Amino acid sequence: MTLILKDKAALRAWRSSLPAEVKLGFVPTMGALHAGHISLMEQARAGSDRVIASIFVNPLQFGANEDLSRYPRPLEADLAKLEAAGVEALFLPSVDDMYPPGSSTFVDESMASLPLCGAERPGHFRGVATVVLKLFNLVQPQIAWFGQKDAQQCAVIERMVRDLDVPVEIRRGAIVREADGLALSSRNVYLSAEDRAAAPLIYQSLKAAEAAYLAGETEAEKLSALGLSVLARSDRLVPQYWELRDPESLGTIARVGPGGALLAIAAFLGKTRLIDNLLLLPDRRPEAIS
Ligand code: PAF
């Protein structure tokens, strides 16, 4: 049975009941769990002694015109998935418990959070960093898992943990995809049949750029033009960005160098905004392999 901890007091009591030497693994989520989340839970089970997840749809990371009110909240189905994944405890706080009236302190990472989703969704990473630091302070895990699909979120959290000396190790779990390449996302349920049919072009655009890179192309402009040309095969897909970035700082790069590159994309299908990414790793190029 997954134990449901409905507020901070219940969480604190549970946390303090654990023996001091326990290595606690943590998977924070906003619910609407899919196989990507479950793979993080499985990695957490394999990599720690005890596992706790959280479900909290964090209002602070949604913009005024975003999907906070319609964000899927299938709690019963989520609980069944957590049980099946062997997750021992679930922290399920309310908004008031997490943000009591009068809260006035926020966390701002000021480098990796600025471009890409940070530029398109002002305040988003402030909301993410604030809630994740609060969750870390409450749960006090030794290790926490985040999905690589949100590569920029991972970079922001890794920097926050490093810069603020938060005693938690961050691990990234690989992107889990549908058979046709679409990255799993809680927002995929919004897609109409026609939009769903066009969605695999997102991953195909990343793979086309990767193939060109492996064949010798390193110029960021050429690789992103190629990626965008693949997306243009469907007029349903409206790209917001398709960019190459330094994988750690998320700074701009003119060409892929020894540090590799993060290919990052955000695109709209109707009102649904999807993101995806792919890492270009220099050691996969033919001259590095031979
Ligand atoms: O990736 C998510 O689901 C959320 O951004 C997170 C990390 C749980 C913070 O609300």
Side-chain angles (χ1 to χ4, degrees):
M1 271 298 264
T2 304
L3 180 68
I4 302 180
L5 305 164
K6 285 200 168 160
D7 54 31
K8 294 196 275 197
L11 171 65
R12 285 198 177 103
W14 177 81
R15 183 66 184 89
S16 60
S17 75
L18 298 183
E21 67 279 7
V22 153
K23 195 200 276 183
L24 181 62
F26 177 41
V27 184
T29 81
M30 297 205 301
L33 303 178
H34 51 63
H37 295 112
I38 300 308
S39 99
L40 297 179
M41 314 275 172
E42 281 161 4
Q43 289 167 61
R45 278 193 69 193
S48 48
D49 302 326
R50 312 276 288 261
V51 177
I52 180 169
S54 63
I55 294 181
F56 179 63
V57 182
N58 174 32
L60 216 58
Q61 68 189 72
F62 287 78
N65 298 317
E66 294 184 353
D67 56 345
L68 174 62
S69 60
R70 68 178 189 130
Y71 196 83
R73 290 163 170 88
L75 186 56
E76 289 302 312
D78 283 352
L79 282 173
K81 288 176 189 169
L82 291 171
E83 297 268 7
V87 172
E88 169 174 348
L90 170 68
F91 180 42
L92 186 67
S94 67
V95 173
D96 279 353
D97 195 35
M98 284 299 277
Y99 300 117
S103 296
S104 59
T105 306
F106 305 93
V107 180
D108 270 315
E109 191 285 334
S110 60
M111 184 192 263
S113 65
L114 300 184
L116 307 176
C117 293
E120 301 295 343
R121 304 180 67 189
H124 171 67
F125 288 116
R126 176 189 230 223
V128 169
T130 301
V131 81
V132 170
L133 185 61
K134 282 173 70 74
L135 290 166
F136 285 169
N137 286 337
L138 291 161
V139 174
Q140 298 176 29
Q142 275 74 29
I143 318 180
W145 275 261
F146 294 85
Q148 170 66 14
K149 186 173 81 66
D150 298 302
Q152 188 172 13
Q153 169 171 282
C154 290
V156 169
I157 291 167
E158 284 161 359
R159 283 174 172 268
M160 174 188 80
V161 160
R162 184 199 64 185
D163 295 347
L164 300 183
D165 301 307
V166 185
V168 58
E169 188 186 322
I170 304 300
R171 302 250 179 103
R172 299 189 188 204
I175 300 177
V176 179
R177 300 182 179 280
E178 301 282 6
D180 62 8
L182 176 64
L184 296 194
S185 162
S186 303
R187 291 187 166 100
N188 290 352
V189 296
Y190 299 150
L191 296 174
S192 68
E194 294 78 9
D195 288 341
R196 176 65 188 82
L201 284 172
I202 294 175
Y203 186 50
Q204 287 167 26
S205 78
L206 295 170
K207 290 300 277 181
E210 181 190 47
Y213 166 70
L214 293 174
E217 182 57 73
T218 58
E219 257 187 63
E221 242 176 62
K222 293 206 175 125
L223 292 169
S224 59
L226 177 63
L228 284 166
S229 74
V230 173
L231 284 190
R233 288 180 199 156
S234 167
D235 56 12
R236 304 188 84 84
L237 268 160
V238 181
Q240 199 173 45
Y241 61 74
W242 201 114
E243 291 193 29
L244 275 83
R245 293 273 167 168
D246 177 87
E248 282 177 22
S249 68
L250 297 183
T252 51
I253 51 173
R255 59 178 58 248
V256 189
L262 178 75
L263 305 182
I265 170 173
F268 279 98
L269 274 162
K271 283 191 178 146
T272 306
R273 182 179 181 277
L274 297 180
I275 58 171
D276 201 350
N277 67 81
L278 190 150
L279 274 172
L280 293 184
L281 302 169
D283 58 6
R284 287 197 50 210
R285 297 188 73 195
E287 67 267 31
I289 292 162
S290 61

